[in-house]
């Protein structure tokens, strides 16, 4: 289906699935549980929910509005709508660079998930001591060829879907994977909650220790909420440009945010009970899911060998699919921009992106092994990219899009987008609330988060 000669998503369902596919990813399964663990459990979850409702949803609709109104890729959208002001051209380039950087290291984690899926299929978590299983992750990331090969495989799959374009690539992939993601995570949840000692993990997630409410925690909650909803990364703007004019954007944004939030909570309730059941530390950091979950599978394999083997495969399959649909939306930002500016074929652009991002990601992958002695501020290359892109670039880019929507974009255009030209009267009533939040409140809050990330 196309509008003004541009390919669009085929239906309301497709819009939600594509955007949910972008939003639901490693941020939900991998990042959210370990940050919630490090930041003190329940109170973090509460602040996270509030941030999502009051800031991330308005920002999400705003980015969709920028995308749809301009009909352009993220880099050119603001430039185009600002009447071709140079500043917005460069601001747009930040929005392209950031997702591509993230895509490179994201693919490394996707590669780990692929490796663990292969391990699960081989039944590698059964018949081994728990110690051996917990050490598997360290062994994997510190080796050279294997994680590199899986990272390149993951990047190749991502480029393959991006090459397919909007409807035959992205839409078709997300329409099937997102529902499957929900089904599998619910299945694993039941399993995780039935583990002995699981209740401690549940209590941890519901524990409201007010002492954990610090500015740092609030800034992490906000950053995580932006990350999880793919904000500040050009993905929402780019996908917004594939949305038809009659789509109710406010409604679809709320659907996506609720799906994403729900999935993050489900993931946390899968991981934390398992962590406690295994007697491990909730604040174990990025390796949390790869160290704790296989441990659980190995423990369970003694009593329930078949079930534990099947759930292990399902679990890593879920992570892999969630990571893929997000990586696709990251690469698509660059692909859309390059196709638009160079007029080269999608095929050629996807190949170039595969080569460049594959190379950058390879450095990240090797930074746990052969390149591990090279550190900046005590962080390896992988952690530097993660920290810089998620805590600095992403927040800065979110600031740019709020300032743009609140101060540069015409108010009438913004209201028109939100209500699809007056077609949805409820949206027209809510539009001023969103507009003024974006204009006055959001920039101040985002600025505070940005500064606190430097301290
Ligand atoms: N939202 C994705 C996640 O939760 C990550 C992502 C960020 C994807 C930005 C696209 C753009 O994992």
């Amino acid at each position: 289906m196309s509008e003004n000669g541009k390919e669009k998503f085929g239906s309301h369902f497709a819009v939600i699935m594509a955007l949910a596919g972008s939003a639901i990813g490693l941020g939900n399964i991998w990042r959210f549980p370990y940050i919630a663990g490090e930041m003190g459990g329940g109170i973090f979850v509460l602040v996270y929910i509030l941030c999502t409702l009051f800031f991330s949803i308005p920002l999400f609709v705003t980015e969709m509005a920028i995308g749809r109104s301009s009909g352009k890729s993220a880099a050119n959208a603001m430039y185009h709508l600002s009447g071709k002001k140079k500043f917005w051209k460069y601001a747009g380039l930040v929005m392209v660079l950031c997702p591509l950087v993230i895509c490179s290291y994201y693919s490394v984690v996707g590669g780990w998930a692929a490796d663990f899926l292969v391990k699960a299929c081989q039944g590698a978590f059964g018949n081994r001591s728990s110690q051996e299983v917990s050490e598997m992750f360290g062994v994997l990331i510190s080796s050279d060829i294997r994680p590199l090969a899986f990272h390149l495989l993951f990047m190749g799959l991502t480029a393959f879907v991006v090459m397919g374009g909007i409807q035959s690539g992205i839409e078709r992939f997300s329409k099937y994977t997102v529902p499957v993601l929900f089904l599998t995570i619910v299945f694993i949840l039941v399993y995780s909650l039935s583990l002995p000692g699981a209740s401690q993990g549940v209590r941890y997630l519901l524990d409201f220790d007010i002492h954990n409410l610090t500015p740092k925690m609030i800034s992490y909650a906000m950053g995580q909420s932006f990350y999880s909803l793919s904000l500040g990364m050009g993905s929402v703007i780019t996908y917004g440009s594939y949305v038809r004019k009659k789509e109710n954007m406010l409604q679809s944004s709320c659907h996506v945010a609720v799906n994403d939030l729900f999935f993050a909570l489900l993931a946390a309730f899968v991981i934390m009970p398992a962590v406690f059941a295994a007697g491990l530390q909730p604040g174990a950091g990025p390796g949390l899911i790869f160290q704790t979950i296989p441990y659980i599978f190995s423990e369970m394999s003694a009593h329930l060998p078949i079930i534990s083997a099947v759930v292990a495969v399902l679990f890593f399959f879920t992570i892999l699919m969630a990571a893929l649909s997000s990586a696709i939306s990251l690469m698509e930002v660059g692909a859309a921009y390059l196709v638009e500016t160079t007029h080269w074929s999608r095929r050629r652009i996807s190949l170039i992106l595969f080569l460049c991002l594959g190379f950058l990601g390879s450095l990240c992958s090797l930074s746990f092994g052969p390149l591990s002695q090279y550190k900046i501020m005590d962080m390896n290359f992988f952690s530097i990219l993660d920290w810089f892109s998620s805590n600095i670039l992403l927040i800065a880019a979110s600031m740019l899009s709020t300032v743009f929507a609140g101060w540069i974009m015409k108010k009438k255009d913004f209201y028109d987008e939100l209500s699809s030209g007056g077609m949805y009267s409820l949206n027209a009533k809510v539009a001023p609330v969103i507009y003024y939040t974006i204009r006055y409140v959001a920039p101040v809050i985002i600025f505070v988060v940005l500064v606190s990330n430097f301290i």
Side-chain angles (χ1 to χ4, degrees), residues 78-90 408:
M78 294 190 289
Y79 177 56
H80 182 81
L81 290 177
S82 69
K84 307 225 157 114
K85 296 237 166 55
K86 268 263 155 31
F87 175 81
W88 293 105
K89 185 174 187 143
Y90 298 121
I408 310 289

Side-chain angles (χ1 to χ4, degrees), residues 348-364:
R348 186 192 271 189
I349 299 286
S350 311
L351 197 68
I352 294 176
L353 286 173
F354 166 73
L355 292 174
C356 298
L357 304 185
F359 174 72
L360 196 60
S362 301
L363 296 180
C364 294

Side-chain angles (χ1 to χ4, degrees), residues 34-271:
Y34 92 72
I35 292 185
E38 283 178 342
M39 291 287 149
I43 188 86
F44 174 85
V45 176
L46 179 71
V47 173
Y48 176 81
I49 295 177
L50 295 177
C51 288
T52 301
L53 293 181
F54 292 108
F55 295 107
S56 304
I57 293 184
L59 198 54
F60 195 92
V61 194
T62 301
E63 290 202 355
M64 273 183 90
I66 295 177
R68 184 167 75 176
S69 163
S70 67
K72 298 263 183 256
S73 71
N76 290 328
M78 294 190 289
Y79 177 56
H80 182 81
L81 290 177
S82 69
K84 307 225 157 114
K85 296 237 166 55
K86 268 263 155 31
F87 175 81
W88 293 105
K89 185 174 187 143
Y90 298 121
L93 287 179
V94 175
M95 287 227 167
V96 174
L97 211 64
C98 181
L100 294 182
V101 169
I102 294 200
C103 188
S104 65
Y105 82 79
Y106 204 84
S107 163
V108 174
V109 185
W112 298 342
D115 174 86
F116 271 69
L117 175 62
V118 171
K119 286 189 168 70
C121 291
Q122 293 167 338
F125 308 132
N127 300 324
R128 295 233 171 146
S129 76
S130 319
Q131 171 97 19
E132 269 178 301
V133 171
S134 292
E135 281 168 6
M136 273 180 183
F137 177 65
V139 172
L140 169 71
I141 62 169
S142 57
S143 47
D144 39 23
I145 301 296
R146 201 174 159 95
L148 200 65
F150 276 106
H151 145 64
L152 291 175
L153 176 73
F154 184 92
M155 193 64 95
L157 285 173
T158 309
F160 180 73
V161 178
V162 169
M163 201 183 279
I166 320 310
Q167 290 204 359
S168 342
I170 301 168
E171 178 175 323
R172 196 185 306 160
F173 183 83
S174 332
K175 261 184 3 196
Y176 293 106
T177 46
V178 174
V180 171
L181 286 182
F182 273 96
L183 280 180
T184 46
I185 198 94
V186 168
F187 187 73
I188 308 167
L189 178 74
V190 175
Y191 173 81
S192 183
L193 290 178
S194 66
L195 290 169
S199 58
Q200 230 182 315
V202 174
R203 242 177 287 133
Y204 185 79
L205 285 172
L206 299 177
D207 175 36
F208 293 98
D209 185 352
I210 205 77
H211 298 299
N212 289 327
L213 186 68
T214 58
K216 182 177 173 203
M217 186 268 252
I218 299 175
S219 110
Y220 264 73
M222 179 83 95
Q224 172 60 22
S225 173
F226 283 4
Y227 184 92
S228 192
L229 276 174
S230 308
L231 293 169
M233 214 73 84
S235 296
V236 182
I237 299 187
T238 305
Y239 278 16
S241 74
Y242 305 147
V243 171
R244 285 175 298 167
K245 287 288 175 208
K246 64 175 202 277
E247 177 75 24
N248 184 342
M249 286 200 314
L250 186 58
Q251 189 194 47
S252 22
S253 303
C254 291
H255 277 308
V256 174
V258 169
N259 274 313
D260 183 64
L261 187 64
F262 192 50
F263 198 90
L265 292 176
L266 285 175
F269 279 98
V270 164
I271 311 285

